[in-house]
Amino acid sequence: MVQDPGSLRDVLIEAGIALLEEGGMQALTLRQTAARAGVSHAAPAHHFDGLPGLLTAMAARAFKLFADAIHSGREAGGTDPLQRLLGTTEGYLTFASQHAGLFHLMFISPQVNRADPVLGPHATRAYQILREACQPFGDGTPDEALELAVWSMVHGYALLGFTAEDPERHPFHRRPAFRELLVQLLAGRQIPVINRLAPAPDIR
Amino acid sequence: MVQDPGSLRDVLIEAGIALLEEGGMQALTLRQTAARAGVSHAAPAHHFDGLPGLLTAMAARAFKLFADAIHSGREAGGTDPLQRLLGTTEGYLTFASQHAGLFHLMFISPQVNRADPVLGPHATRAYQILREACQPFGDGTPDEALELAVWSMVHGYALLGFTAEDPERHPFHRRPAFRELLVQLLAGRQIPVINRLAPAPDIR
DNA sequence: ACAGTGCCTTGACACTGTCAAGCAATTCCG
DNA sequence: CGGAATTGCTTGACAGTGTCAAGGCACTGT
């Protein structure tokens, strides 16, 4: 039986993603992935050279989707710099909550090789988008401190959302919207657009 | 052979922590923990009712150590409100980098039961310390948005530190110190010590 | 003395990732 | 054209994992 070359690879990646989204990291297994793709139990290891290889390939695809998500979030923000940045972070958070498994893979799993030549460029692209959205709030030159502050805050906010499972007990779930937090961060910046501080249209 | 009751429990917890700090989450195994403690392979499951139970007990201890760490970080900050908050976050970040495995257990591992009656209070205490350190920067009443902004930022900063393994490639490792980021966040606040750093525009 | 109760061991089970070997179809090449 | 190498996957085995039932062993209370 002959398939177009590389076909099973993609089938396996998608089978893995399906398992991950259904049952979390626990359910993502080489053998289960093989079973779902309808091949023998050792086929995935053959294509990806072991579990870390499969996870890395999945994470690479995840980073591409992630970069797309924050890109379209930024575009939805229109032309106003603040709305663009808010849209970008909105895309970040939406992706994190809708694809918790992939997010975990990208940023947490120690088995993923983040220096992978396929994964790397997608990750860099995602960072560039965030970076550019921060640009107007710097003093003209790229402001690494601001970028990292925004990045840390949105990343931490996303991850605290996972940790705080119980809405009743955990302070995180009496949370103010992230928009407010980001505005707090930008409040020290000397740019006029902040002062307009519009009640935000809901981006998604 | 009779031991003081509860003794093996503690031995197992410490064996687990040792394994975790040596070899990461991969090395932390019920059977390895048993072997290191010098007992049979099923002993841990007997005491903790399975792997999640052991992880939860370890996480509970970790939260206690964590609360102690940020508490003493706060104390080291002296009486100045800004220095106290900076000290608290310093304690947070130091703990995260020095006990990466425990940090992962506390905030990431899905197997930990974070509603555990032992774990819960320690986690709450840790949050209270951060909360109190933020207090002087609110308008008198507790300011949840500020607390959460600080918490998100320090948490995200810590976790990005784990993700960015490669100091050469990753932007995170050309990082400005976290102190600078936090001051950015507080720059919009109307308290004297901050305003000396950066004059705030009037928003709101 | 004797049943009861914790505490731990033993042995088994299904499941995991990894590896060596094999097999069948395709492609190469002399 | 026909053997040989390569590719893509299967088969079978192995050690390691969490979990569970059964049992044993020492101590306690009566």
Coordinates of all heavy atoms in Angstrom, one line a residue, chain A residues 20-85:
Chain A
L20 N -4.9 14.7 22.4 CA -4.5 15.7 23.4 C -5.7 16.6 23.8 O -5.9 16.9 25.0 CB -3.4 16.6 22.8 CG -2.8 17.7 23.7 CD1 -2.3 17.1 25.0 CD2 -1.8 18.5 23.0
E21 N -6.5 17.0 22.8 CA -7.6 17.9 23.2 C -8.7 17.2 23.9 O -9.5 17.8 24.6 CB -8.1 18.6 21.9 CG -7.0 19.3 21.1 CD -7.4 20.6 20.5 OE1 -8.4 20.6 19.8 OE2 -6.6 21.6 20.7
E22 N -8.8 15.9 23.6 CA -9.9 15.1 24.3 C -9.5 14.7 25.7 O -10.3 14.9 26.6 CB -10.2 13.8 23.5 CG -11.0 14.0 22.2 CD -11.0 12.8 21.4 OE1 -10.8 11.7 21.9 OE2 -11.3 12.9 20.2
G23 N -8.3 14.2 25.9 CA -8.0 13.6 27.2 C -6.8 14.2 27.9 O -6.4 13.7 28.9
G24 N -6.3 15.3 27.3 CA -5.1 15.9 28.0 C -3.9 15.2 27.7 O -3.8 14.2 27.0
M25 N -2.8 15.6 28.4 CA -1.5 15.1 28.2 C -1.4 13.6 28.6 O -0.6 12.8 28.0 CB -0.5 15.8 29.1 CG 0.8 16.0 28.5 SD 0.8 16.9 26.9 CE 2.6 17.1 26.7
Q26 N -2.3 13.2 29.5 CA -2.3 11.8 29.9 C -2.7 10.8 28.8 O -2.2 9.7 28.7 CB -3.3 11.6 31.1 CG -2.9 12.3 32.3 CD -2.8 11.3 33.5 OE1 -2.3 10.2 33.4 NE2 -3.5 11.7 34.6
A27 N -3.6 11.3 28.0 CA -4.2 10.5 26.9 C -3.3 10.4 25.7 O -3.5 9.6 24.8 CB -5.6 11.0 26.6
L28 N -2.4 11.3 25.6 CA -1.5 11.4 24.4 C -0.4 10.4 24.5 O 0.6 10.6 25.3 CB -1.0 12.8 24.3 CG 0.0 13.0 23.1 CD1 -0.6 12.6 21.8 CD2 0.4 14.5 23.0
T29 N -0.5 9.4 23.7 CA 0.4 8.2 23.9 C 0.8 7.8 22.5 O 0.0 7.8 21.5 CB -0.4 7.1 24.6 OG1 -0.2 7.3 26.0 CG2 0.1 5.8 24.2
L30 N 2.0 7.3 22.3 CA 2.4 6.8 21.0 C 1.5 5.7 20.5 O 1.0 5.7 19.4 CB 3.8 6.3 21.1 CG 5.0 7.3 21.0 CD1 6.3 6.5 20.9 CD2 4.8 8.1 19.8
R31 N 1.1 4.8 21.4 CA 0.3 3.7 21.0 C -1.1 4.1 20.7 O -1.7 3.6 19.7 CB 0.4 2.6 22.1 CG 1.8 1.9 22.1 CD 1.9 1.0 23.3 NE 2.0 -0.4 22.9 CZ 3.1 -1.1 22.9 NH1 4.3 -0.6 23.2 NH2 3.1 -2.4 22.5
Q32 N -1.6 4.9 21.5 CA -3.0 5.4 21.2 C -3.1 6.2 19.9 O -4.0 6.1 19.1 CB -3.5 6.3 22.4 CG -3.8 5.5 23.6 CD -5.1 4.6 23.5 OE1 -5.9 4.9 22.7 NE2 -5.1 3.5 24.2
T33 N -2.0 7.0 19.7 CA -2.0 7.8 18.5 C -1.9 6.8 17.3 O -2.6 7.0 16.3 CB -0.7 8.6 18.5 OG1 -0.7 9.4 19.6 CG2 -0.7 9.5 17.3
A34 N -1.1 5.8 17.4 CA -1.0 4.8 16.3 C -2.4 4.1 16.1 O -2.9 4.0 14.9 CB 0.0 3.7 16.6
A35 N -3.0 3.8 17.2 CA -4.3 3.1 17.1 C -5.3 4.0 16.4 O -6.1 3.6 15.5 CB -4.8 2.7 18.4
R36 N -5.4 5.3 16.8 CA -6.3 6.2 16.2 C -6.0 6.4 14.7 O -7.0 6.6 13.9 CB -6.3 7.5 16.9 CG -7.1 8.6 16.2 CD -7.5 9.7 17.0 NE -8.2 9.4 18.2 CZ -9.3 10.1 18.6 NH1 -9.8 11.1 17.9 NH2 -9.9 9.8 19.8
A37 N -4.8 6.4 14.3 CA -4.4 6.5 12.9 C -4.6 5.2 12.1 O -4.4 5.2 10.9 CB -3.0 7.1 12.8
G38 N -4.9 4.1 12.8 CA -5.1 2.9 12.2 C -3.8 2.2 11.7 O -3.8 1.4 10.7
V39 N -2.7 2.4 12.4 CA -1.5 1.8 12.0 C -0.9 1.0 13.2 O -1.5 1.0 14.3 CB -0.4 2.8 11.5 CG1 -0.9 3.4 10.2 CG2 -0.3 3.9 12.6
S40 N 0.2 0.3 13.0 CA 0.7 -0.5 14.1 C 1.3 0.4 15.2 O 1.6 1.5 15.0 CB 1.7 -1.5 13.6 OG 3.0 -0.8 13.4
H41 N 1.5 -0.3 16.3 CA 1.9 0.5 17.5 C 3.3 1.2 17.4 O 3.5 2.1 18.1 CB 1.9 -0.4 18.8 CG 2.9 -1.4 18.8 ND1 2.7 -2.7 18.5 CD2 4.2 -1.3 19.2 CE1 3.8 -3.4 18.6 NE2 4.8 -2.6 19.0
A42 N 4.1 0.7 16.5 CA 5.4 1.3 16.4 C 5.6 2.3 15.3 O 6.7 2.9 15.1 CB 6.5 0.2 16.3
A43 N 4.5 2.5 14.5 CA 4.6 3.4 13.4 C 5.0 4.8 13.8 O 5.9 5.4 13.1 CB 3.3 3.3 12.6
P44 N 4.4 5.4 14.8 CA 4.8 6.7 15.2 C 6.3 6.9 15.5 O 6.9 7.9 15.1 CB 3.9 7.0 16.4 CG 2.7 6.1 16.3 CD 3.3 4.9 15.6
A45 N 6.8 6.0 16.3 CA 8.2 6.0 16.6 C 9.1 6.0 15.4 O 10.1 6.6 15.3 CB 8.5 4.9 17.6
H46 N 8.6 5.2 14.4 CA 9.4 5.2 13.1 C 9.4 6.5 12.5 O 10.5 6.9 11.9 CB 8.7 4.1 12.2 CG 9.3 4.0 10.9 ND1 10.6 3.4 10.7 CD2 8.9 4.5 9.7 CE1 10.9 3.5 9.4 NE2 9.9 4.1 8.7
H47 N 8.3 7.2 12.4 CA 8.3 8.5 11.7 C 8.9 9.7 12.5 O 9.4 10.6 11.9 CB 6.8 8.9 11.4 CG 6.4 8.2 10.1 ND1 6.6 8.7 8.9 CD2 5.7 7.0 9.9 CE1 6.1 7.9 7.9 NE2 5.6 6.9 8.5
F48 N 8.7 9.6 13.8 CA 9.2 10.8 14.6 C 10.3 10.5 15.5 O 10.7 11.3 16.3 CB 8.0 11.3 15.4 CG 6.8 11.7 14.6 CD1 5.7 10.9 14.4 CD2 6.8 13.0 14.0 CE1 4.6 11.3 13.6 CE2 5.8 13.4 13.2 CZ 4.7 12.6 13.0
D49 N 10.8 9.3 15.4 CA 12.0 8.9 16.2 C 11.7 9.0 17.7 O 12.5 9.7 18.4 CB 13.2 9.8 15.8 CG 14.5 9.2 16.4 OD1 14.6 8.0 16.5 OD2 15.4 10.0 16.8
G50 N 10.6 8.5 18.1 CA 10.3 8.5 19.5 C 9.2 9.5 19.9 O 8.9 10.4 19.2
L51 N 8.8 9.4 21.2 CA 7.8 10.3 21.7 C 8.1 11.8 21.6 O 7.3 12.6 21.2 CB 7.4 9.9 23.1 CG 6.3 10.7 23.8 CD1 5.0 10.7 23.0 CD2 6.1 10.2 25.2
P52 N 9.3 12.2 22.0 CA 9.7 13.6 21.9 C 9.6 14.1 20.5 O 9.2 15.3 20.3 CB 11.2 13.6 22.4 CG 11.3 12.4 23.3 CD 10.4 11.4 22.7
G53 N 9.9 13.3 19.6 CA 9.8 13.7 18.2 C 8.3 14.0 17.8 O 8.1 15.1 17.1
L54 N 7.4 13.2 18.2 CA 6.0 13.4 17.9 C 5.5 14.7 18.6 O 4.9 15.6 18.0 CB 5.2 12.2 18.3 CG 3.6 12.5 18.2 CD1 3.2 12.8 16.8 CD2 2.9 11.3 18.8
L55 N 5.9 14.8 19.8 CA 5.5 16.0 20.6 C 6.0 17.3 20.0 O 5.3 18.3 19.9 CB 6.0 15.9 22.1 CG 5.4 14.7 22.8 CD1 5.8 14.8 24.3 CD2 3.9 14.7 22.8
T56 N 7.3 17.2 19.5 CA 7.9 18.4 18.9 C 7.2 18.8 17.6 O 6.9 19.9 17.3 CB 9.4 18.1 18.6 OG1 10.0 17.9 19.9 CG2 10.0 19.3 17.9
A57 N 6.8 17.7 16.8 CA 6.1 18.0 15.6 C 4.7 18.6 15.8 O 4.3 19.5 15.2 CB 6.0 16.7 14.8
M58 N 4.1 18.1 16.9 CA 2.8 18.6 17.3 C 2.9 20.1 17.7 O 2.1 21.0 17.4 CB 2.1 17.8 18.3 CG 1.7 16.4 17.8 SD 1.1 15.4 19.2 CE -0.2 16.4 19.9
A59 N 4.0 20.3 18.5 CA 4.2 21.7 19.1 C 4.5 22.6 17.9 O 4.1 23.8 18.0 CB 5.3 21.7 20.1
A60 N 5.2 22.2 16.9 CA 5.5 23.0 15.8 C 4.2 23.5 15.1 O 4.0 24.7 14.8 CB 6.4 22.3 14.8
R61 N 3.3 22.5 14.9 CA 2.0 22.9 14.3 C 1.2 23.8 15.2 O 0.6 24.8 14.8 CB 1.2 21.6 14.0 CG -0.2 22.0 13.6 CD -0.9 20.8 12.9 NE -0.1 20.3 11.8 CZ -0.6 19.5 10.9 NH1 -1.9 19.1 11.0 NH2 0.2 19.0 9.9
A62 N 1.3 23.6 16.5 CA 0.6 24.4 17.5 C 1.1 25.8 17.4 O 0.4 26.8 17.5 CB 0.8 23.8 18.9
F63 N 2.4 26.0 17.3 CA 3.0 27.4 17.3 C 2.5 28.1 16.0 O 2.3 29.3 16.0 CB 4.5 27.3 17.3 CG 5.1 27.5 18.7 CD1 5.7 26.5 19.4 CD2 4.9 28.8 19.3 CE1 6.2 26.7 20.6 CE2 5.5 29.0 20.6 CZ 6.1 27.9 21.3
K64 N 2.4 27.4 14.9 CA 1.9 28.0 13.7 C 0.4 28.5 14.0 O 0.1 29.6 13.7 CB 1.9 27.0 12.6 CG 1.1 27.5 11.3 CD 1.5 26.8 10.1 CE 0.6 27.2 8.9 NZ 0.1 28.5 8.9
L65 N -0.4 27.6 14.5 CA -1.8 28.0 14.8 C -1.8 29.2 15.8 O -2.6 30.1 15.6 CB -2.6 26.9 15.4 CG -2.7 25.6 14.5 CD1 -3.4 24.5 15.3 CD2 -3.6 26.0 13.3
F66 N -0.9 29.2 16.8 CA -0.8 30.2 17.8 C -0.5 31.5 17.1 O -1.1 32.6 17.4 CB 0.2 29.8 18.8 CG 0.4 30.8 19.9 CD1 -0.6 31.2 20.8 CD2 1.7 31.4 20.0 CE1 -0.3 32.1 21.8 CE2 1.9 32.4 21.0 CZ 0.9 32.7 21.9
A67 N 0.5 31.5 16.3 CA 0.9 32.8 15.6 C -0.2 33.3 14.8 O -0.5 34.5 14.8 CB 2.2 32.5 14.7
D68 N -0.9 32.4 14.1 CA -2.1 32.9 13.3 C -3.1 33.5 14.2 O -3.7 34.5 13.9 CB -2.7 31.7 12.6 CG -1.8 31.1 11.5 OD1 -0.8 31.8 11.1 OD2 -2.1 30.0 11.0
A69 N -3.3 32.9 15.4 CA -4.4 33.4 16.3 C -4.1 34.8 16.8 O -4.9 35.7 16.8 CB -4.5 32.4 17.5
I70 N -2.8 35.0 17.2 CA -2.5 36.3 17.7 C -2.4 37.3 16.6 O -2.7 38.5 16.8 CB -1.3 36.4 18.7 CG1 0.0 36.1 17.9 CG2 -1.4 35.4 19.8 CD1 1.2 36.2 18.8
H71 N -2.1 36.9 15.4 CA -2.0 37.8 14.3 C -3.5 38.3 14.0 O -3.7 39.5 13.8 CB -1.5 37.1 13.1 CG -1.5 37.9 11.8 ND1 -0.6 38.9 11.6 CD2 -2.4 37.9 10.8 CE1 -0.8 39.5 10.4 NE2 -1.9 38.9 9.9
S72 N -4.4 37.3 13.9 CA -5.7 37.8 13.5 C -6.4 38.6 14.7 O -7.2 39.5 14.5 CB -6.6 36.6 13.1 OG -6.8 35.7 14.1
G73 N -5.9 38.3 15.9 CA -6.4 39.1 17.1 C -5.9 40.6 16.9 O -6.7 41.5 17.1
R74 N -4.7 40.7 16.4 CA -4.1 42.0 16.3 C -4.9 42.7 15.1 O -5.2 43.9 15.3 CB -2.6 41.9 15.9 CG -1.9 43.3 16.0 CD -0.6 43.2 15.4 NE -0.6 42.9 14.0 CZ 0.5 42.8 13.2 NH1 1.7 43.0 13.8 NH2 0.4 42.5 11.9
E75 N -5.1 42.0 14.1 CA -5.8 42.7 12.9 C -7.2 43.1 13.3 O -7.7 44.2 12.9 CB -5.9 41.7 11.8 CG -4.6 41.4 11.1 CD -3.8 42.6 10.8 OE1 -4.3 43.4 10.0 OE2 -2.7 42.8 11.3
A76 N -7.9 42.3 14.2 CA -9.2 42.7 14.6 C -9.2 43.9 15.5 O -10.2 44.6 15.7 CB -9.8 41.5 15.4
G77 N -8.0 44.3 15.9 CA -7.9 45.5 16.8 C -8.0 46.8 15.9 O -8.0 47.9 16.5
G78 N -7.9 46.6 14.6 CA -8.0 47.8 13.8 C -6.7 48.6 13.7 O -5.6 48.0 13.8
T79 N -6.8 49.9 13.7 CA -5.6 50.7 13.5 C -5.1 51.4 14.8 O -4.0 51.8 14.9 CB -5.8 51.8 12.5 OG1 -6.9 52.6 12.9 CG2 -6.2 51.2 11.1
D80 N -6.0 51.4 15.8 CA -5.6 52.1 17.1 C -4.6 51.2 17.8 O -4.8 50.0 18.0 CB -6.8 52.3 17.9 CG -6.5 52.9 19.2 OD1 -6.2 54.2 19.2 OD2 -6.4 52.2 20.3
P81 N -3.4 51.8 18.2 CA -2.4 51.0 18.8 C -2.8 50.3 20.0 O -2.4 49.1 20.2 CB -1.3 52.1 19.1 CG -1.6 53.2 18.2 CD -3.1 53.2 18.0
L82 N -3.6 50.9 20.9 CA -4.0 50.2 22.1 C -4.9 49.1 21.8 O -4.8 48.0 22.3 CB -4.7 51.2 23.0 CG -5.3 50.6 24.3 CD1 -4.2 49.9 25.1 CD2 -6.0 51.6 25.2
Q83 N -5.8 49.3 20.8 CA -6.8 48.2 20.5 C -6.0 47.1 19.8 O -6.4 45.9 19.9 CB -7.9 48.8 19.5 CG -8.8 49.7 20.2 CD -9.4 49.2 21.5 OE1 -9.8 48.0 21.6 NE2 -9.6 50.0 22.5
R84 N -5.0 47.4 19.1 CA -4.2 46.4 18.4 C -3.5 45.5 19.5 O -3.5 44.3 19.4 CB -3.2 47.0 17.5 CG -3.7 47.4 16.1 CD -2.7 48.2 15.3 NE -1.8 47.4 14.6 CZ -2.0 46.9 13.4 NH1 -3.2 47.1 12.8 NH2 -1.1 46.2 12.8
L85 N -2.9 46.2 20.4 CA -2.2 45.4 21.5 C -3.2 44.6 22.3 O -3.0 43.4 22.6 CB -1.4 46.3 22.4 CG -0.6 45.6 23.5 CD1 0.2 44.5 23.0 CD2 0.2 46.6 24.3

